């Protein structure tokens, strides 16, 4: 996979923030060396966040996000500011663009408080330095640049390269669990809810890591699982299944062969496996009328066999024997207020970067709401959660 093929979730997300007409879009274009954002002297030209996946040395694959002015006015301005706040939830690095002649405004100070609250590394980029009679000595977390002349832009990029750790930002998905020459079976159902003509991202990433580890990956449907085990003649080191066929696969795979799911691997990869395992026990305490939020990080057309909107709600009601109120969210529509819910069940989060998944987990924790995910919930209800997590304790 080349840098240009890197999934959005695995890119460093760099957000550009500031007041209207501070020159955010000009700085974006200067740093990227491309005309990614519309530039104008008219305040408020950028009306919605503009995203662009690209390579940016010395950082590598990044997602650039140019946001509207945070001091925007009126009702629409308020909506734009809400969008900007949501961008912060997935921002790995923030650049606060300030008009060097005007200096820090109250809006800038408010943004800095948000960066600190969310523990986002930030750099204050004082733009339009070419208009200053003398450029002051910058403080540790600031730099003077001129998007017009290019002065200071390369230094800014060097500073950015030191703000985040590019390598080993997350644990692997699976390659630390296997050895060279290992044999791994991947169970991939092909039903009406499966994407046509392709594998979903966690399946692609898992196969790639298995190959990188020097192991062998064999992908089968659940209907060929038993036959494959007999035909290959070699004991697999691990079986990884789609969560929706967990129960069937568990019954066919001998107990001495480690078994887990793509969703559980993604929970570990995104850094919330322990929280998800702890949170799933809330299923035992659900009562009639309790509201459950089932959250997905991506948006897609829901099919009749959809796991989030159909299968998990059905299994929850069967397991608890309660009349539960199931609510769904997808994409960026994750609610800030989780207090109405008794449980949040999240997807694996493959389309979200680690920071946003962590934000959602912490949001639930702050409000005292149990947080788990699809694979953990299904394994728990099917009585195979302990087996599904044994591979991580070896």
């Amino acid at each position: 996979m080349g840098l240009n093929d890197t999934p959005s979730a695995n890119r460093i997300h760099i957000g550009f923030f500031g007041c209207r007409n501070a020159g955010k879009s000009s700085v974006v274009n200067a740093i990227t060396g491309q005309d990614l954002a519309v530039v104008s002297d008219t305040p408020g030209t950028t009306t919605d966040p503009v995203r662009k996946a690209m390579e940016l040395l010395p950082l590598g694959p990044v997602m650039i996000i140019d946001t509207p002015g945070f001091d925007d006015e009126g009702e629409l301005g308020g909506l734009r500011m809400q969008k900007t706040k949501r961008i912060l939830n997935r921002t790995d690095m923030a650049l606060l663009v300030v008009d060097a002649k005007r200096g820090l405004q109250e809006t800038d100070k408010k943004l800095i408080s948000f960066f600190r609250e969310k523990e986002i590394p930030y750099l204050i980029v004082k733009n339009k330095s070419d208009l200053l009679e003398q450029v002051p000595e910058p403080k540790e977390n600031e730099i003077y640049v001129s998007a017009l002349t290019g002065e200071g832009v390369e230094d800014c990029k060097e500073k950015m390269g030191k703000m985040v750790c590019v390598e080993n930002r997350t644990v692997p998905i699976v390659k630390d669990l296997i050895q060279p020459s290992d044999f791994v079976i991947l169970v991939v159902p092909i039903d009406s809810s499966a994407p046509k003509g392709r594998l979903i991202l966690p399946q692609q990433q898992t196969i790639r890591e298995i190959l990188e580890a020097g192991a062998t990956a064999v992908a089968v449907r659940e209907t060929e699982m038993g036959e494959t085990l007999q035909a290959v003649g070699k004991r697999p080191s691990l079986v990884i299944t789609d969560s929706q066929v967990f129960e069937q696969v568990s019954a066919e795979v001998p107990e001495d062969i480690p078994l887990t799911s793509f969703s559980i691997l993604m929970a570990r990869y995104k850094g919330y496996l322990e929280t998800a395992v702890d949170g799933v026990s809330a299923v035992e305490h659900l009562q009639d009328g309790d509201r459950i939020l089932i959250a997905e990080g991506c948006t897609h057309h829901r099919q009749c066999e959809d796991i989030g909107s159909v299968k998990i709600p059905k299994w929850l009601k069967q397991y608890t024997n309660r009349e539960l109120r199931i609510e769904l969210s997808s994409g960026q529509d994750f609610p800030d207020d989780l207090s109405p819910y008794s449980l949040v069940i999240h997807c694996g989060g493959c389309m979200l970067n680690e920071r946003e998944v962590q934000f959602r987990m912490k949001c639930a924790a702050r409000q005292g709401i149990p947080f788990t995910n699809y694979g953990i919930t299904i394994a728990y209800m099917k009585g195979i959660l302990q087996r599904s997590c044994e591979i991580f304790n070896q």
Side-chain angles (χ1 to χ4, degrees):
M1 180 182 290
L3 292 178
N4 285 330
D5 300 320
T6 303
S8 171
N10 291 357
R11 292 176 178 267
I12 297 171
H13 285 51
I14 305 173
F16 289 75
F17 303 89
C19 298
R20 289 175 298 163
N21 221 33
K24 294 188 305 299
S25 298
S26 296
V27 171
V28 169
N29 291 343
I31 287 177
T32 62
Q34 300 180 28
D35 291 332
L36 299 184
V38 177
V39 177
S40 170
D41 291 332
T42 303
T45 300
T46 302
T47 57
D48 286 294
V50 176
R51 299 172 179 82
K52 174 66 175 179
M54 62 177 299
E55 300 172 38
L56 183 64
L57 297 176
L59 291 166
V62 301
M63 177 67 73
I64 298 291
I65 310 172
D66 183 20
T67 66
F70 202 70
D71 58 340
D72 215 340
E73 299 170 338
E75 185 177 348
L76 283 177
L79 292 174
R80 290 168 189 156
M81 284 192 284
Q82 281 298 113
K83 287 185 178 181
T84 298
K85 280 186 176 181
R86 289 192 173 183
I87 293 295
L88 287 169
N89 299 335
R90 72 189 78 115
T91 299
D92 295 305
M93 175 197 310
L95 270 65
L96 176 62
V97 181
V98 176
D99 186 318
K101 290 198 72 173
R102 295 179 64 199
L104 286 177
Q105 304 297 299
E106 285 304 313
T107 295
D108 298 318
K109 294 175 183 177
K110 185 182 295 185
L111 279 164
I112 289 173
S113 71
F114 288 148
F115 300 156
R116 290 173 175 170
E117 176 187 334
K118 295 179 180 292
E119 300 179 348
I120 301 171
Y122 68 94
L123 178 65
I124 300 172
V125 181
K126 294 194 170 180
N127 187 29
K128 308 180 185 179
S129 63
D130 56 292
L131 301 180
L132 300 177
E133 292 183 8
Q134 183 175 357
V135 177
E137 186 69 25
K139 297 177 182 177
E140 184 178 353
N141 69 327
E142 69 179 27
I143 189 168
Y144 285 85
V145 306
S146 170
L148 180 64
T149 68
E151 185 70 27
V153 170
E154 288 304 316
D155 290 339
C156 182
K157 290 162 70 172
E158 289 298 322
K159 276 184 173 286
M160 291 166 61
K162 298 174 182 177
M163 288 172 65
V164 294
C165 178
V166 180
E167 299 296 332
N168 300 319
R169 296 175 63 237
T170 57
V171 298
I173 296 175
V174 70
K175 61 185 175 184
D176 61 325
L177 304 175
I178 56 178
Q179 301 294 324
S181 301
D182 275 357
F183 170 51
V184 182
I185 294 180
L186 311 176
V187 184
V188 181
I190 304 295
D191 55 25
S192 63
S193 64
K196 303 301 180 186
R198 62 182 176 86
L199 299 176
I200 62 174
L201 185 58
Q203 295 164 357
Q204 297 174 39
Q205 291 176 309
T206 302
I207 291 172
R208 176 60 185 257
E209 282 205 7
I210 292 170
L211 297 179
E212 287 177 348
T216 300
V218 173
V220 299
R221 296 180 300 177
E222 72 279 14
T223 48
E224 283 77 51
M225 179 67 219
E227 180 182 338
T228 300
L229 279 173
Q230 294 179 358
V232 172
K234 180 180 180 181
R235 179 185 179 278
S237 303
L238 177 63
V239 174
I240 306 169
T241 181
D242 188 288
S243 296
Q244 59 188 316
V245 292
F246 231 148
E247 186 175 29
Q248 177 181 340
V249 173
S250 178
E252 294 193 25
V253 175
E255 287 287 338
D256 64 331
I257 297 176
L259 168 69
T260 193
S261 78
F262 293 104
S263 183
I264 293 175
L265 288 173
M266 290 305 296
R268 187 180 79 117
Y269 182 56
K270 299 292 181 177
Y272 69 100
L273 177 60
E274 185 176 348
T275 296
V277 171
D278 290 342
V280 75
S281 61
V283 169
E284 299 295 336
H285 310 294
L286 295 176
Q287 302 296 320
D288 289 333
D290 279 354
R291 293 168 68 180
I292 313 299
L293 177 65
I294 297 182
E296 292 191 344
C298 60
T299 55
H300 63 272
H301 178 66
R302 299 185 186 278
Q303 304 288 331
C304 60
E305 298 179 72
D306 185 71
I307 186 170
S309 62
V310 178
K311 292 183 177 179
I312 289 179
K314 180 182 71 173
W315 290 330
L316 271 173
K317 291 177 180 180
Q318 288 175 347
Y319 182 85
T320 63
N321 198 29
R322 300 289 186 181
E323 289 299 320
L324 305 173
R325 296 169 59 188
I326 306 296
E327 298 181 18
L328 307 173
S329 75
S330 60
Q332 304 306 318
D333 294 330
F334 189 78
D336 295 324
D337 182 11
L338 298 174
S339 60
Y341 302 105
S342 300
L343 176 63
V344 175
I345 304 175
H346 207 286
C347 69
C350 65
M351 299 303 292
L352 303 176
N353 68 341
E354 183 178 347
R355 179 172 283 276
E356 180 153 15
V357 176
Q358 291 283 324
F359 165 78
R360 295 183 177 195
M361 177 190 72
K362 292 174 182 177
C363 184
R366 283 195 302 269
Q367 298 176 57
I369 309 302
F371 184 94
T372 189
N373 91 338
Y374 286 14
I376 298 291
T377 303
I378 295 170
Y380 181 85
M381 292 190 295
K382 302 302 182 182
I384 52 177
L385 179 58
Q386 182 175 349
R387 181 186 183 186
S388 304
C389 293
E390 283 176 353
I391 185 69
F392 309 121
N393 300 322
Q394 295 179 3

